[in-house]
Amino acid sequence: MAHLPTPPSSRSPRSRRRLALAVPVVLSLTASLGFLPAAASAAPRAEAAADAAPAADAAPAARAADAPRLAYVVNTRTDHRTIASVKRAIAEADGSVVATYQKIGVIVVHSANPDFGAEIRKARGVQSAGATRTAPLTAAGTTDQGAAEPLSAEQAARTAKASKAAGASEPLEADQWDLRAIGADQAAKINPGSSKVTVAVIDTGVDDTHPDLAPNFSAAQSANCVGGKADTSEGAWRPYTAEDYHGTHVAGEIAAARNGIGVAGVAPGVKVSSIKVSDPDNGLFYPENVVCAFVFAADHGVEITNNSYYVDPWLYNCMDDPDQRAIVDAVNRAQLYAQRKGTLHLASAGNSNHDLDSDAIVDDSSPDDSTPVTRTIDPHECFDVPTQLPGIVTVSATGVDEDKSYYSSYGKGVVDVAAPGGDGRYQIPDTPSKNGRILSTMPNNEYAWLQGTSMASPHAAGVAALLKSKYRHASPAALQALLKAQADNPGCPASYDQDGDGDQDATCEGGRRVNGFYGFGIVNALRAVK
C-alpha cells in the first residue's frame, strides 16, 4: 500500500500504494513526535499575518485575493447543535462548507484564509481541524511499483494455448500464477463467491465496461467521491483516462468473471464496485475524498473495501502536527463508522520496504503535492493512513516463491496477512510469459502486468469475500479473524539477502505463527471455501 520510489514525472503513480509495482526497475493513535520539522505542517502559514491586522475591515476580500484556496477537514461532536455552531464559525473564518458528514462529525471546508486552520481550531465544539493539502486547490494516490506492462498479442496467443492445454477456463489463466499460489483456481470450483457480497475498490475508478468486469459490477454501490461529496451519476466512477488504470487492475484481481474471456479473479462470483477518489489533476488521494468513500461504502451496504493507496499528501501523518492529526482523525472516524455498519477494510502495506515496527523511518517524499521535506518519523506515532488505522487488515506482498516481495513494507504487529503482489526481480514463475508480476484487467478491454502491495491487498480482499460468502453474518472483526485463521505462514526466512550482496535486505521479527513479513500468513482461498 505505500508510496514507491517511482519517478515524480511518471503519471502512473496516481494510485501509489502507491501505484502497483510493474516494471522491476522500479495501534494507538496518541500524540507524538517533538522533532517534526515545522516545514512539514500541511497548512501554508501566512508570512505577514501581523501586517494584515490593521486592514481587518477588508480582510476577507484581501485574503481571498492574495492567499491560495485550500481544503480542510473540521472534526466535531456529532450533535446537531454543535454542527450548526461550528458551521457558523466556519463562515466567520471565511470558510465555505463543501460537505457535512454529521454521523461522524466531519465537515469538509474550502477557504482562502491563510489563518483558517488556527482560527477554526479555537471555535467551540471543534475537536481537530487541518488542511488536507499543501498546494492550492485547482479547477476542477496508490501502491503499485512501476508502470504497467501491457500484454502483447504474441504473449496472449501463447498463454491461451497453454491455458487450453491445462484445461483452464480462462484464456490467460496460465499466466496467473498468483491464483494457483493461493488455491483460488481450485476454490472457484467449490464456491466462486456470492453475488450478495460486494467489494468496493476505493481507487482511481473502474472501467465497468470491460468484459471481464461487467458481469460482476455493481453500479448502485459506485460513486465518484473526488472533492469530498459523492457523485453517483452514470459513469462518474470510471477512470478519467486509460492512464488511470490502477483501480481497473485491482478490480480484476478481486472479481474478474470466469466467463471464458481473459483472466479470472480470486472471487469470480462476488460483486465489485468503484468509489473513485483520485484527483483529476495530480492523481492524489486526498483525505476528504477517502472520508466520503468510507461513508458511502457503509451507507450502501458494501461488505468489504480494498484500499491500495495511502492518503495524500503525507506518507506518514504525525499526531503532533495539527493538520496531520486532523487528517488521521477524519479518516479514522469514517472508516470506524463503516466498520460499525459491517464493512471490513483491507489496505496495502506499502512499497517502500519500510519496517513499520521500527523506531525510526526517514520520509523524504512528503508532502507529495508540493515540496517534500526530509524528516525522520516514528511509525508508532506517525501513521500511514489508512493502513495503520485500527481494525484495518494490513497486507504485505509475496512473489511466486512465497518470499516477501523485495519492495513490500512489513512490520511485526502491523502486517496482518500476506498475499501475492508479484516480484518481477527475484521471483520468476514457470509460466508461458515467465512474468513475476500480476496479470489483470485494464481500461479499454486490455490486460497488463503490475506488481506492488497494491496487488496483494485485492488478493486478500478476494479471499475475505469468499469467507463473507460462506459466513454471511460474520462481523468485520469475525471476518478478520477468519482471514487470519485460514492463512498459511511460511515463517521467517533464515536469510533475506535478495540481491546476494551479503547484507540482509530486511529483517523478519517473530515466529512461525505470527511475524513481521507475513503477519498470520499468506491467505488461502481454497482453505477459505472448504
Side-chain angles (χ1 to χ4, degrees):
M1 129 209 146
H3 277 299
L4 304 169
T6 45
S9 60
S10 169
R11 193 159 180 259
S12 63
R14 280 181 176 271
S15 6
R16 299 155 329 267
R17 207 86 199 135
R18 204 95 204 207
L19 289 174
L21 283 174
V23 181
V25 276
V26 267
L27 131 192
S28 72
L29 304 179
T30 54
S32 68
L33 307 176
F35 55 83
L36 180 70
S41 176
R45 304 296 182 231
E47 294 179 359
D51 295 338
D57 316 333
R63 290 191 298 208
D66 299 338
R69 192 162 174 258
L70 295 182
Y72 295 81
V73 283
V74 179
N75 306 308
T76 76
R77 295 192 300 271
T78 58
D79 61 282
H80 178 76
R81 180 171 296 184
T82 298
I83 295 286
S85 173
V86 170
K87 283 185 174 180
R88 288 192 294 272
I90 288 170
E92 291 170 3
D94 306 325
S96 59
V97 173
V98 175
T100 303
Y101 295 96
Q102 183 167 338
K103 288 177 283 191
I104 60 172
V106 175
I107 305 173
V108 179
V109 178
H110 289 173
S111 179
N113 175 5
D115 299 317
F116 178 82
E119 290 178 15
I120 200 63
R121 281 191 285 269
K122 297 176 182 177
R124 183 184 298 275
V126 172
Q127 296 174 321
S128 64
T132 64
R133 60 198 72 203
T134 65
L137 289 167
T138 55
T142 61
T143 50
D144 49 344
Q145 183 174 359
E149 181 182 337
L151 179 76
S152 70
E154 180 185 353
Q155 289 173 323
R158 183 172 62 244
T159 302
K161 184 177 180 179
S163 297
K164 184 176 180 180
S169 70
E170 308 306 293
L172 302 179
E173 194 170 350
D175 269 335
Q176 291 191 273
W177 61 266
D178 48 307
L179 296 186
R180 296 184 287 281
I182 59 174
D185 55 334
Q186 297 301 312
K189 299 174 183 177
I190 300 172
N191 183 356
S194 170
S195 60
K196 295 181 180 179
V197 173
T198 299
V199 182
V201 176
I202 300 177
D203 215 297
T204 62
V206 173
D207 180 2
D208 56 302
T209 68
H210 194 293
D212 255 338
L213 299 176
N216 291 336
F217 192 77
S218 175
Q221 294 168 299
S222 297
N224 180 345
C225 268
V226 175
K229 189 173 183 179
D231 174 6
T232 57
S233 58
E234 177 66 25
W237 53 78
R238 292 177 186 142
Y240 301 113
T241 71
E243 293 302 308
D244 300 291
Y245 50 70
H246 193 263
T248 302
H249 196 278
V250 165
E253 294 170 56
I254 297 168
R258 283 191 172 271
N259 55 0
I261 301 173
V263 297
V266 172
V270 306
K271 293 293 185 184
V272 66
S273 72
S274 169
I275 307 179
K276 185 165 69 176
V277 294
S278 58
D279 186 88
D281 296 303
N282 56 22
L284 300 185
F285 289 46
Y286 286 118
E288 61 269 28
N289 305 351
V290 176
V291 167
C292 169
F294 281 133
V295 173
F296 181 87
D299 290 345
H300 287 78
V302 167
E303 286 86 358
I304 296 165
T305 70
N306 183 82
N307 303 271
S308 292
Y309 61 88
Y310 67 80
V311 168
D312 297 288
W314 305 94
L315 176 54
Y316 298 101
N317 292 269
C318 294
M319 299 297 281
D320 66 345
D321 179 279
D323 296 304
Q324 294 168 42
R325 182 186 185 93
I327 289 171
V328 176
D329 188 5
V331 177
N332 193 44
R333 289 175 182 225
Q335 71 90 10
L336 287 175
Y337 169 76
Q339 285 191 53
R340 290 192 296 270
K341 295 268 285 189
T343 307
L344 176 69
H345 310 301
L346 291 95
S348 52
N351 299 336
S352 303
N353 194 31
H354 284 168
D355 181 353
L356 299 176
D357 187 41
S358 64
D359 293 331
I361 291 174
V362 175
D363 171 20
D364 59 4
S365 65
S366 304
D368 60 9
D369 63 344
S370 56
T371 303
V373 176
T374 299
R375 57 182 185 160
T376 300
I377 64 94
D378 179 348
H380 300 92
E381 299 181 356
C382 298
F383 304 106
D384 183 335
V385 176
T387 294
Q388 289 180 272
L389 296 180
I392 288 183
V393 178
T394 302
V395 188
S396 63
T398 59
V400 68
D401 299 329
E402 296 193 339
D403 289 336
K404 181 187 84 69
S405 302
Y406 67 89
Y407 53 79
S408 180
S409 292
Y410 57 98
K412 185 181 179 184
V414 179
V415 169
D416 294 299
V417 293
D423 186 334
R425 182 178 293 177
Y426 301 115
Q427 302 181 60
I428 309 303
D430 185 17
T431 54
S433 297
K434 299 192 183 327
N435 197 312
R437 304 169 191 83
I438 305 298
L439 182 63
S440 188
T441 49
M442 295 284 278
N444 300 330
N445 302 345
E446 295 180 353
Y447 301 87
W449 279 279
L450 284 170
Q451 66 180 11
T453 55
S454 275
M455 284 58 257
S457 182
H459 281 75
V463 175
L466 294 176
L467 287 165
K468 185 66 174 179
S469 298
K470 184 176 181 180
Y471 303 100
R472 291 292 293 123
H473 300 293
S475 66
L479 194 57
Q480 179 171 172
L482 288 167
L483 189 64
K484 293 175 177 177
Q486 56 73 54
D488 292 321
N489 203 324
C492 287
S495 174
Y496 191 75
D497 177 14
Q498 297 293 83
D499 55 12
D501 66 356
D503 295 327
Q504 293 298 299
D505 299 317
T507 301
C508 180
E509 300 286 349
R512 182 80 186 189
R513 181 170 176 270
V514 188
N515 56 62
F517 275 14
Y518 309 102
F520 282 79
I522 302 171
V523 296
N524 188 307
L526 183 56
R527 184 177 294 176
V529 300
K530 280 187 172 180

